[in-house]
């Protein structure tokens, strides 16, 4: 099959799979596509990303971002910069905006994963993430529930950093309640060696 025809088929598949959600299943997009299909998509999307094509850059992140790509065994590809390029692209679409903003939220969620015992990101990383999220909010429209979630995390981290600076005096959960946050720690299991 000529490359142009194959690319057209893969473009249509990505559009229908990711943007139009035409394939049945919960929690689409699912990232457990057949190995042979992911190989075709990896080749196609890699070529399109090199040409800064949209929405292919977003699709690349949706399919391969934050997971192990079996076609990149040496982990040479970091898909987050592709998502950043997609966001900065002149053809940035609302799906890309929401995806990029959600990635900031995911980073904030990960950072507070072990609150109040520990923090998974540095204060500088927190400030970088918040700066990126605020930039998105200034430039684009973000779904209100995502904005509320962002405001929750900012407030939570502010409480945490203040509590940490005060030598962890007081009950962290009570401090959150006093500030109007319904913080519930993520259940974690610690193993003793």
């Amino acid at each position: 099959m000529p490359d142009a025809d194959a690319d057209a088929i893969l473009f249509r598949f990505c559009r229908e799979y990711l943007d139009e959600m035409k394939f049945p299943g919960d929690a689409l997009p699912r990232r457990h596509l057949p190995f042979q299909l992911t190989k075709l998509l990896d080749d196609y999307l890699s070529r399109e990303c090199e040409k800064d094509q949209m929405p292919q850059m977003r699709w690349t992140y949706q399919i391969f971002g934050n997971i192990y790509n079996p076609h990149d065994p040496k982990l040479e590809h970091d898909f987050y910069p592709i998502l950043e390029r997609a966001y900065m692209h002149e053809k940035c679409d609302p799906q890309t905006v929401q995806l990029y903003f959600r990635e900031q939220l995911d980073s904030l969620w990960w950072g507070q994963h072990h609150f109040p015992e520990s923090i998974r990101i540095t204060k500088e990383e927190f400030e970088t993430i918040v700066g990126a999220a605020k930039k998105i909010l200034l430039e684009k429209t973000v779904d209100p529930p995502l904005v509320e979630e962002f405001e929750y995390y900012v407030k939570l981290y502010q409480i945490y950093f203040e509590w940490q600076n005060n030598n962890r005096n007081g009950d962290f959960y009570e401090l959150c309640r006093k500030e109007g946050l319904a913080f519930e720690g993520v259940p974690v299991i610690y193993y003793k060696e």
Side-chain angles (χ1 to χ4, degrees):
M1 172 180 301
D3 288 344
D5 293 345
D7 288 355
I9 291 169
L10 292 169
F11 180 91
R12 180 178 172 189
F13 170 79
C14 289
R15 186 187 68 229
E16 291 180 357
Y17 180 68
L18 297 166
D19 292 347
E20 298 172 4
M21 302 289 201
K22 286 193 174 181
F23 302 97
D26 295 330
L28 287 174
R30 294 184 315 265
R31 294 183 180 182
H32 50 81
L33 295 167
F35 182 82
Q36 297 84 349
L37 181 56
T38 59
K39 177 61 177 153
L40 292 171
L41 290 169
D42 184 60
D43 292 342
Y44 164 67
L45 292 171
S46 293
R47 287 191 315 273
E48 295 301 300
C49 287
E50 287 176 16
K51 297 184 248 178
D52 285 333
Q53 294 297 311
M54 280 293 285
Q56 291 92 326
M57 289 192 294
R58 173 174 47 84
W59 293 340
T60 299
Y61 195 80
Q62 288 175 289
I63 292 173
F64 296 111
N66 287 340
I67 63 164
Y68 173 70
N69 178 355
H71 313 292
D72 182 24
K74 295 181 182 176
L75 304 176
E76 296 170 341
H77 303 289
D78 180 1
F79 293 102
Y80 187 77
I82 293 172
L83 179 59
E84 288 179 314
R85 284 182 16 227
Y87 174 77
M88 293 183 283
H89 198 278
E90 64 185 20
K91 292 183 181 176
C92 176
D93 53 23
Q95 297 100 311
T96 302
V97 173
Q98 304 310 313
L99 180 62
Y100 188 46
F101 194 80
R102 276 192 190 100
E103 288 304 311
Q104 309 316 307
L105 293 177
D106 286 351
S107 296
L108 292 174
W109 178 88
W110 173 247
Q112 63 84 47
H113 183 66
H114 291 288
F115 274 10
E117 288 83 17
S118 65
I119 188 168
R120 310 282 301 175
I121 60 175
T122 66
K123 188 169 186 176
E124 293 75 24
E125 288 170 316
F126 165 76
E127 290 169 355
T128 299
I129 295 164
V130 167
K134 286 181 176 180
K135 182 177 186 286
I136 296 166
L137 291 172
L138 285 173
E139 297 172 347
K140 308 286 185 183
T141 301
V142 176
D143 291 340
L146 297 179
V147 176
E148 288 175 22
E149 187 176 346
F150 171 68
E151 290 168 351
Y152 166 84
Y153 281 125
V154 169
K155 194 171 188 180
L156 179 64
Y157 275 87
Q158 289 169 343
I159 294 168
Y160 182 84
F161 289 131
E162 185 175 326
W163 178 70
Q164 192 175 42
N165 288 340
N166 290 327
N167 297 318
R168 297 175 173 243
N169 287 330
D171 180 272
F172 181 75
Y173 294 94
E174 184 58 32
L175 291 171
C176 289
R177 279 190 289 280
K178 284 181 182 176
E179 293 295 324
L181 286 187
F183 174 72
E184 296 293 329
V186 176
V188 290
I189 297 173
Y190 296 98
Y191 296 97
K192 289 185 178 181
E193 292 184 29

